[in-house]
Amino acid sequence: MEEMFPLLLILGLVTSLTAWPAVDEFNVFDYGASGVGQADDSQPFMYAWRDACNAETHSASVIVPEAGTFLLNPLMFHGPCKPRIIHFIISGTVIASGSPETWNGLDSSQWIAFKNVTGLNVYGSGLIDGQGMQWWDQSCRYHPNKEGCTKLAPTVLKFLSCNEGTLSSIYIVNSPQTHLLVLDSKGFNVDNVMIQSPQDSPNTDGIHIHSSHIIKITNSIIGTGDDCISIGDYSSNIEISNIECGPGHGISIGSLGKDGEMVLVENIHIRDSSFKGTTNGARIKTWQVGRGNIRHVIFENLIFDSVDNPIIIDQNYCDVRGKCKEKKSGVKISDVAYKNLYGTSSTDIAITLNCSRFVPCSGISMENINLASIKPGKSLSANCINVHGTEVKVKPRSCLRN
């Protein structure tokens, strides 16, 4: 028995090492990255990713060092990967080419994308700069008569079919269009990110979620030229909390149903967040031609500071306000709760619930709402059309129909 004890000990150590292999690190400098911000470092990043993704280890890390500025052209990091966990650690600065011509012949909707990677964790103290200024200058939204204006511009970061992943502690600025997209993913968390672009930059949503489920966005500061966070179709079980939003268009569900498609968004909880100088606060927007449901939504513990439309549902969303003809179709909006919302409105109508005559909003509840005008002594009003629900302690008094 005594002779067997050392053997058992050795076997135990071998088993332990096999179960928890060492983390492999793949530094982009080791693959030839210059880190000077002028030469294209795309290939070294791809080589580092290739080796990390194929490492025979429990986890692997791609390292982007603090000491460098790395110019990258459009990249797609593909999975699936052999390690159960992939760390992509950005401590340095990553910049895009400032010229839209770089995307000639390429997918102009993306810059850096991860696809089909499970267990991906992107984080670090670094900066990701989309350098979107030239894109903004040729945007069709602001320059519709400009020859060759662009409707589609790159998203800085895309996570496509990336389950059980995270993005945290990253600073993202100046995206040509949307800053961060989570698409067709499940169990993805975004925490402690800062996203910034100028207030007049076109279509620069901070975070857009689409066809994704069990998503958390927490403890982040977002100021852009469009929605701070927008929730697209076929998304469910979304938790958003502790967000500082502004400037921007608020936190929006939608717009949905633009092309008459069937939509479903449900189980959305937005809480403990603030809005400063935004055009909207808690917003739901759908096109009249859409079908389907938005349901089981909670807006809770929100603070508004000089917001144009603190609470707004627009079931008649249109490219040009008031120009779309009334339709008999619509996305059904139901079971939406507003609880403990406070602050100031910069317009006279603080609550706008504009619902369809043919598919009215129902199950809308308001409790402990206290909104005041930024103008001393100015009274506020609420405007409701085709809405059914209940209210308790609402100021200005809402116009819900029981």
Side-chain angles (χ1 to χ4, degrees):
M1 187 69 177
E2 292 178 358
E3 293 178 356
M4 292 184 63
F5 181 74
L7 178 60
L8 291 172
L9 179 60
I10 292 171
L11 288 173
L13 289 172
V14 170
T15 301
S16 177
L17 290 172
T18 302
W20 300 103
V23 173
D24 276 343
E25 295 186 351
F26 302 89
N27 191 313
V28 295
F29 275 141
D30 295 335
Y31 291 85
S34 67
V36 297
Q38 297 177 346
D40 180 11
D41 284 327
S42 301
Q43 282 302 116
F45 272 65
M46 290 302 297
Y47 292 147
W49 174 262
R50 175 200 62 193
D51 288 354
C53 189
N54 289 291
E56 299 285 352
T57 57
H58 173 76
S59 60
S61 300
V62 174
I63 307 296
V64 182
E66 182 179 4
T69 297
F70 304 91
L71 173 64
L72 300 183
N73 286 329
L75 290 175
M76 173 76 80
F77 298 107
H78 284 277
C81 296
K82 291 181 180 178
R84 292 178 59 189
I85 299 173
I86 294 281
H87 300 284
F88 202 105
I89 306 171
I90 302 174
S91 300
T93 298
V94 177
I95 61 173
S97 165
S99 172
E101 293 179 358
T102 302
W103 276 260
N104 286 347
L106 301 174
D107 181 356
S108 60
S109 75
Q110 73 177 50
W111 175 33
I112 300 172
F114 296 88
K115 186 173 183 179
N116 198 24
V117 186
T118 298
L120 172 66
N121 300 288
V122 179
Y123 61 94
S125 56
L127 169 70
I128 303 176
D129 187 348
Q131 301 208 96
M133 289 69 77
Q134 289 189 41
W135 290 96
W136 305 335
D137 288 342
Q138 65 181 35
S139 166
C140 293
R141 179 171 178 176
Y142 287 169
H143 309 282
N145 298 321
K146 185 172 184 175
E147 184 177 354
C149 72
T150 53
K151 295 182 178 180
L152 187 64
T155 292
V156 161
L157 272 178
K158 285 186 177 182
F159 295 92
L160 313 173
S161 302
C162 291
N163 298 333
E164 306 303 326
T166 66
L167 173 73
S168 61
S169 304
I170 289 290
Y171 186 24
I172 307 172
V173 299
N174 298 328
S175 179
Q177 204 155 307
T178 300
H179 288 75
L180 168 63
L181 169 67
V182 179
L183 173 67
D184 193 27
S185 299
K186 184 177 181 180
F188 196 94
N189 295 341
V190 178
D191 181 66
N192 191 34
V193 300
M194 180 177 287
I195 297 174
Q196 291 185 317
S197 62
Q199 186 172 0
D200 61 353
S201 56
N203 300 309
T204 52
D205 293 65
I207 301 172
H208 182 64
I209 304 166
H210 197 94
S211 296
S212 295
H213 313 279
I214 314 177
I215 307 297
K216 290 184 179 181
I217 303 174
T218 54
N219 306 313
S220 296
I221 299 172
I222 305 173
T224 68
D226 211 301
D227 294 325
C228 291
I229 300 171
S230 56
I231 299 171
D233 195 13
Y234 291 104
S235 296
S236 66
N237 298 297
I238 312 296
E239 295 185 24
I240 298 171
S241 64
N242 295 301
I243 305 299
E244 294 181 23
C245 173
H249 294 178
I251 297 178
S252 298
I253 297 173
S255 59
L256 302 176
K258 182 176 182 180
D259 298 316
E261 65 269 28
M262 181 70 71
V263 305
L264 177 61
V265 173
E266 59 185 350
N267 300 327
I268 312 296
H269 193 180
I270 299 165
R271 63 179 176 84
D272 302 320
S273 296
S274 62
F275 303 79
K276 184 172 183 179
T278 55
T279 55
N280 304 287
R283 176 163 69 158
I284 300 174
K285 50 179 178 173
T286 64
W287 295 77
Q288 293 183 77
V289 293
R291 299 169 297 142
N293 285 276
I294 297 173
R295 59 195 180 198
H296 311 313
V297 178
I298 300 174
F299 295 100
E300 185 174 21
N301 301 334
L302 304 181
I303 298 175
F304 307 107
D305 182 354
S306 303
V307 173
D308 290 352
N309 304 292
I311 300 172
I312 180 169
I313 293 177
D314 189 356
Q315 211 177 0
N316 301 296
Y317 187 72
C318 185
D319 278 333
V320 180
R321 186 181 294 271
K323 294 295 184 180
C324 295
K325 294 183 179 180
E326 186 178 30
K327 305 285 186 182
K328 293 186 178 181
S329 56
V331 178
K332 177 65 177 178
I333 299 173
S334 61
D335 191 15
V336 180
Y338 301 88
K339 302 178 183 179
N340 306 325
L341 275 55
Y342 306 97
T344 57
S345 172
S346 53
T347 62
D348 294 343
I349 303 176
I351 300 173
T352 300
L353 306 178
N354 178 20
C355 295
S356 165
R357 182 158 58 102
F358 300 97
V359 190
C361 300
S362 62
I364 310 300
S365 65
M366 293 190 171
E367 181 179 354
N368 294 332
I369 312 295
N370 193 337
L371 301 172
S373 174
I374 60 171
K375 305 170 187 176
K378 181 71 174 180
S379 60
L380 298 179
S381 63
N383 183 21
C384 302
I385 302 173
N386 304 312
V387 187
H388 300 270
T390 60
E391 61 178 35
V392 177
K393 297 181 179 178
V394 176
K395 181 183 177 182
R397 182 171 178 81
S398 108
C399 37
L400 296 176
R401 296 166 57 190
N402 292 326

